[in-house]
Amino acid sequence: MAGGASAANSTNGVRIVVAGDRGTGKSSLIITAAAEAFPANVPPVLPPTRLPEDMFPDRVPVTVIDTSSSLENRGKLADELKRADAVVLTYACDQPATLDRLSTFWLPELRRLEVKVPVIVAGCKLDLRDEQQPVSLEQVMSPIMQQFREIETCIECSAYKHIQIPEVFYYAQKAVLHPTAPLFDQEAQTLKPRCVRALKRIFILCDNDRDGALSDAELNDFQVKCFNAPLQPSEIVGVKRVVQEKLPEGVNENGLTLTGFLFLHALFIEKGRLETTWTVLRKFGYNNDIRLSDDQLLPPIKRTPDQSVELTSEALEFLKGVFTLFDIDGDGALNAHELEDVFSTAPESPWSEAPFAVAAERNALGGLSLDGFLSKWALMTFLNPVISVENLIYIGYAGDPSSAVKLTRRRRVDRKKQQTDRNVFQCFVFGPKEAGKSTLLHAFVGRPFTEVYTPTPATEERYTVNIVDQPDGTRKTLILREIPEDAVGKLLIHKDALAACDIAVFVHDSSSEASWTKATELLVQVASHGESTGYEVPCLIVAAKDDLEPYPTAIQDSTRVSQDMGIEAPIPISTRLGDFNNVYRRIVRAAEHPHLSIPETEAGKTRKHYHRLLNRSLMVVSVGAAVGIVGLAAYRVYATRKNASG
């Protein structure tokens, strides 16, 4: 495996800013690098200087920015540092105080300004150093580099004697194009997890026969793809011998194993050949964050607020295959280790944090069933289709990214056509505090009932998702999103707050009149918002805690509100008793009929009545006008005939 120069990661080239104390040789360093001659007269600050493109093997344009360290220019210096791709900090080898200033001022200043780019430390005026006090660069810089990990390289140079001048900017450019930080943990001396995951994915993509090793032919194909040159048989033997001597399990009878492949890259990096690993990563579409670059992914999807994105049947079949492949013990569920393995070729598991971590049903041993696995993918696609497709690609989806997802019809159109072909529905769950919203979500994914009340913070987005079997044999994915009482006002500030909602459920504690009153207030609030924005949604009322004694006028109140607003009577459920009254099926059924169960407020009825009267008036006017026009035409015919006979 041999390395070559990688493509530039930026079409604008590399911007290197040189900073340091006055008189440390900044300008002389830049002029000598650009002109290959030591200047007789040096201006205080140079204009931006372009280095020749053929100066370095990557042939990437390099612009060097000189700076002034004077107090009056401190603002300009800060601006330049913030725009840098890399920073060269200078000190003078004959002035020890300027070296001390690196750790007491310059490096802390970069941190204060939040300049998070590679730093090259250059000791200038090497020819003037007192040779009577020989101190190695390693001795001098080791403590500073321990304290400031952003330092990539330290180098001593002399502009006057032309010692290591191009090398200063070569290391700065290399630190930008082939940075160490994303790949290698200097302290632990190991590849970083994200780098390991990317290299594992590349290894699997190159292991065409799926035998867990790269054969000589596969190694050669890999070499040609990455470096445009084949490996000689003797070179392949040499590579495998190096690995086998240091790591016996790195090679087996079939070829180079994943362990050996990772070992080789760690070896390249330890030897300073970062360009080799970066060339491989970039050939397979990775950027400097070790994520696939945008041109490898699904482009942003143009859609209206009331359209959503679902996985296609092609993507779902692929995911079913993935599930079977990683269910090693064949128990019909993915345990924590198996699930981690599924995403071991992604930068990290996308489901390790909210809202995905606890969104789906797990079995008694914590395993994720196929329905739970597909439900999580449906939720991720619904919330962020671009990230969902990115992760599909990481775990091996080889089709065109756009073939993995489909855009649904607008909900507004579904209501007009009185039907929908959606497979994934989102339900907003509203209700007052302690009504049983969270319990409804937990029960949906099989979590046991608990008497302990834990309020959901207004800032938390809590979802659960599962597949619901319908009586006709169809299967729909239902997403429940809890809207805490305190978050309703903030949600409804936005015009399109209900655009992504297929159905809204209003939960109340059936034993509490106050809970019922608040739930109906929320229902009116949501219905009014839908009427005023055009995003009306079907609504259901859920009477939770049905095992408790209802408050005295509960039946009369619920009947009145249901009839007045034109929606179904409340669905009684008791989570404590496990009696759910088919509530989840009923939610899906209502979502499948988007034109029904839409509540009408008094204001909405008045508005509709007004529009009806207005339309009727316009009709009368238009009919009258038509009659008048017909009459006028008849009169003209009569007049014409009369004139003709006269």
Side-chain angles (χ1 to χ4, degrees), residues 130-158:
D130 184 358
E131 295 300 334
Q132 300 301 312
Q133 297 177 327
V135 181
S136 74
L137 182 63
E138 191 177 349
Q139 281 178 295
V140 170
M141 289 307 304
S142 188
I144 300 175
M145 290 183 78
Q146 284 292 321
Q147 187 182 353
F148 298 95
R149 293 281 174 184
E150 53 270 45
I151 300 174
E152 283 274 339
T153 308
C154 300
I155 185 170
E156 292 179 326
C157 60
S158 167

Side-chain angles (χ1 to χ4, degrees), residues 302-562:
K302 290 181 180 175
R303 52 178 164 150
T304 59
D306 63 342
Q307 285 180 292
S308 54
V309 181
E310 298 178 3
L311 291 168
T312 59
S313 55
E314 186 181 335
L316 289 168
E317 286 306 310
F318 165 76
L319 288 171
K320 288 173 187 175
V322 168
F323 183 91
T324 304
L325 180 66
F326 285 90
D327 182 16
I328 305 299
D329 55 13
D331 65 348
L334 297 180
N335 60 40
H337 178 73
E338 290 167 340
L339 193 58
E340 173 56 37
D341 220 19
V342 169
F343 291 112
S344 64
T345 50
E348 51 269 319
S349 170
W351 296 348
S352 57
E353 294 178 3
F356 307 108
V358 293
E361 186 169 4
R362 291 182 176 272
N363 64 22
L365 298 173
L368 192 66
S369 68
L370 176 60
D371 279 0
F373 183 68
L374 296 177
S375 294
K376 280 202 179 192
W377 277 102
L379 176 61
M380 183 159 64
T381 306
F382 190 94
L383 295 179
N384 195 329
V386 173
I387 293 293
S388 184
V389 174
E390 181 180 356
N391 279 283
L392 275 175
I393 296 168
Y394 287 133
I395 68 171
Y397 186 77
D400 186 289
S402 60
S403 71
V405 291
K406 60 181 180 182
L407 192 61
T408 65
R409 192 165 66 186
R410 293 189 64 178
R411 289 177 176 83
R412 190 172 288 178
V413 175
D414 283 349
R415 278 194 294 279
K416 283 181 182 172
K417 293 189 177 288
Q418 302 187 2
Q419 61 177 20
T420 180
D421 59 358
R422 292 169 189 273
N423 293 306
V424 181
F425 296 107
Q426 176 167 232
C427 170
F428 284 6
V429 181
F430 294 96
K433 294 180 178 72
E434 298 189 60
K437 299 186 297 298
S438 298
T439 307
L440 186 71
L441 267 74
H442 291 321
F444 187 43
V445 289
R447 286 191 206 115
F449 174 77
T450 174
E451 298 282 358
V452 180
Y453 170 66
T454 308
T456 302
T459 53
E460 184 181 324
E461 289 208 339
R462 183 176 289 178
Y463 294 84
T464 56
V465 59
N466 213 335
I467 292 173
V468 179
D469 292 306
Q470 293 298 86
D472 62 0
T474 59
R475 311 187 83 216
K476 301 292 183 181
T477 302
L478 177 61
I479 297 167
L480 299 182
R481 177 187 172 188
E482 181 179 347
I483 313 292
E485 182 187 340
D486 296 341
V488 174
K490 190 176 178 184
L491 172 74
L492 298 181
I493 287 171
H494 308 285
K495 181 189 174 184
D496 56 4
L498 301 175
C501 177
D502 294 292
I503 179 162
V505 164
F506 297 82
V507 184
H508 70 280
D509 175 351
S510 58
S511 69
S512 165
E513 186 172 2
S515 182
W516 163 256
T517 303
K518 184 62 187 177
T520 51
E521 285 173 9
L522 290 170
L523 172 59
V524 171
Q525 197 177 347
V526 169
S528 301
H529 189 279
E531 288 168 344
S532 63
T533 61
Y535 294 122
E536 299 105 322
V537 294
C539 293
L540 294 177
I541 301 172
V542 171
K545 308 184 185 181
D546 191 45
D547 50 288
L548 301 178
E549 189 69 29
Y551 72 91
T553 57
I555 295 173
Q556 299 95 304
D557 289 348
S558 61
T559 304
R560 177 178 49 78
V561 169
S562 301

